[in-house]
Amino acid sequence: MAREKIIASQPTGPEDEQFNTSLRPRTLDECIGMGDLREKLRIAIGAARTRKEPMEHVLLHGPPGLGKTTLAYVIAHEMSSTIKVTSGPALTRPSDLVGILTNLESCDVLFIDEIHRLPKSVEEYIYPAMEDFKVDFVVDSGMHSRTINLPLKPFTLIGATTRAGRLSPPLRTRFGLTHHLEFWSEEDLVRRLEMSAGMLKTAYDADALLAMASRARGTPRIANRLLRRCRDYAQVKGDGRMTVAAVDAALKLEGIDHLGLDELDRQFLRVIIDIYRGGPVGKEAIAATLGEETDTLVDMVEPFLLQIGFLARTRSGRVATKRAYDHLGLTYDRREDPSLFEPGDEAEEA
């Protein structure tokens, strides 16, 4: 049975996704943690509205939970357009895409999440749609085959992906505006939590929000999820006001420590340290020992441990760093082999 991981960047279910949707900003002015992207979008949207044209196509890439879907809705709102939402895995046949494209009105926004997972046969139909606002498809076969040119109304395609490197070069180059979303600072997370707490009409202490932001892994989706859990705890166990004590107690109950690690993260590190003497060890061996899927560990556990320097990926396997030992209160007594840490090497085998 899979363990719940409330500090995962991905939505944990329909209820969680509905909660995040209710807290989404609607305008660029309400957006936080975007750096210079907000000004770029403001200029692009203003120019498009002045010319009464669709905005240029946008590609947003970066780790999950940083607001790619939210930005798509904000862009559509700022353009006073309708947004149609789909995903790469949902478009299995060219007819699926053609059906969506032909139903778009002028200046509508088409948002494709996980665009890197588009089948090749479907992706080829996007090229002329993005460049010339038309779709060419072949009917019949052999000597009776003929090409039908189907014009489309001008639209804006917004693609979102967590793995930009998997996009084919022809697709990537057709986006006019490409931006990588970075992890948020604690200051930005606190501002987002203030906005969310205001929407939820929840009383709080400033230090309580900071305590949540420090555990949110730089991800606003996780911050909102922690806010939800802490709000529930404060209402049931306290007077409804979120204090530092209430936040600490709520997150301790969830097994989340002061750095944002949960029990699965700590078990991952303990397996490397206790069973495999600190590493190196392959991901398949760790997954088998924990009884978890390899993809779960690679996508949900390793990224944050790598980000904070608790884990190193070498050509020989995963290695727990001295920081991980210190965090777990263990003595670092292994001798590092410098040859294991050659730049650019990553272990992929057990």
Side-chain angles (χ1 to χ4, degrees), residues 232-253:
D232 291 347
Y233 186 94
Q235 289 177 344
V236 174
K237 296 290 188 178
D239 59 2
R241 185 178 186 86
M242 290 189 298
T243 63
V244 173
V247 169
D248 288 343
L251 299 186
K252 182 180 180 180
L253 187 64

Side-chain angles (χ1 to χ4, degrees), residues 16-235:
D16 182 55
E17 186 62 29
Q18 184 178 6
F19 178 77
N20 288 324
T21 300
S22 67
L23 299 179
R24 278 179 182 154
R26 292 174 55 85
T27 66
L28 282 173
D29 291 334
E30 295 175 351
C31 290
I32 301 169
M34 294 169 46
D36 59 354
L37 176 59
R38 182 163 58 178
E39 189 60 25
K40 291 180 182 178
L41 290 175
R42 197 185 306 277
I43 293 172
I45 291 171
R49 295 189 65 172
T50 299
R51 295 192 298 266
K52 297 182 180 180
E53 296 175 355
M55 182 183 164
E56 59 185 332
H57 305 301
V58 181
L59 176 64
L60 302 171
H61 57 96
L66 298 185
K68 295 183 288 293
T69 302
T70 296
L71 275 176
Y73 278 91
V74 168
I75 291 171
H77 182 267
E78 294 280 358
M79 289 288 296
S80 301
S81 303
T82 301
I83 184 171
K84 304 291 177 66
V85 180
T86 186
S87 66
L91 301 173
T92 58
R93 298 171 299 176
S95 58
D96 297 332
L97 176 66
V98 173
I100 294 175
L101 292 175
T102 53
N103 283 314
L104 292 175
E105 297 296 329
S106 182
C107 296
D108 275 359
V109 172
L110 172 61
F111 175 63
I112 303 181
D113 198 10
E114 297 184 90
I115 195 171
H116 65 277
R117 295 179 62 185
L118 275 176
K120 187 66 177 177
S121 59
V122 177
E123 183 180 313
E124 292 174 350
Y125 280 80
I126 284 187
Y127 301 156
M130 293 176 69
E131 287 189 322
D132 305 317
F133 301 115
K134 67 176 183 178
V135 173
D136 299 323
F137 59 95
V138 179
V139 295
D140 295 331
S141 59
M143 61 181 298
H144 300 291
S145 65
R146 64 186 189 278
T147 301
I148 296 179
N149 181 279
L150 187 65
L152 304 172
K153 295 176 181 178
F155 69 97
T156 297
L157 173 64
I158 301 178
T161 176
T162 56
R163 300 183 179 182
R166 292 196 176 183
L167 261 67
S168 65
L171 178 58
R172 192 185 305 116
T173 56
R174 282 172 168 80
F175 287 96
L177 182 60
T178 301
H179 191 85
H180 176 73
L181 273 66
E182 304 283 352
F183 286 107
W184 288 28
S185 66
E186 283 191 12
E187 180 183 353
D188 286 337
L189 287 171
V190 169
R191 291 171 58 201
R192 186 68 188 92
L193 286 168
E194 288 174 349
M195 181 184 298
S196 298
M199 292 178 179
L200 296 172
K201 299 180 180 179
T202 301
Y204 61 86
D205 292 342
D207 289 344
L209 298 188
L210 182 60
M212 278 184 272
S214 65
R215 294 167 165 91
R217 300 179 178 234
T219 306
R221 178 181 289 157
I222 295 176
N224 280 335
R225 193 175 299 147
L226 297 182
L227 174 66
R228 183 182 182 184
R229 297 297 176 95
C230 293
R231 179 192 63 164
D232 291 347
Y233 186 94
Q235 289 177 344

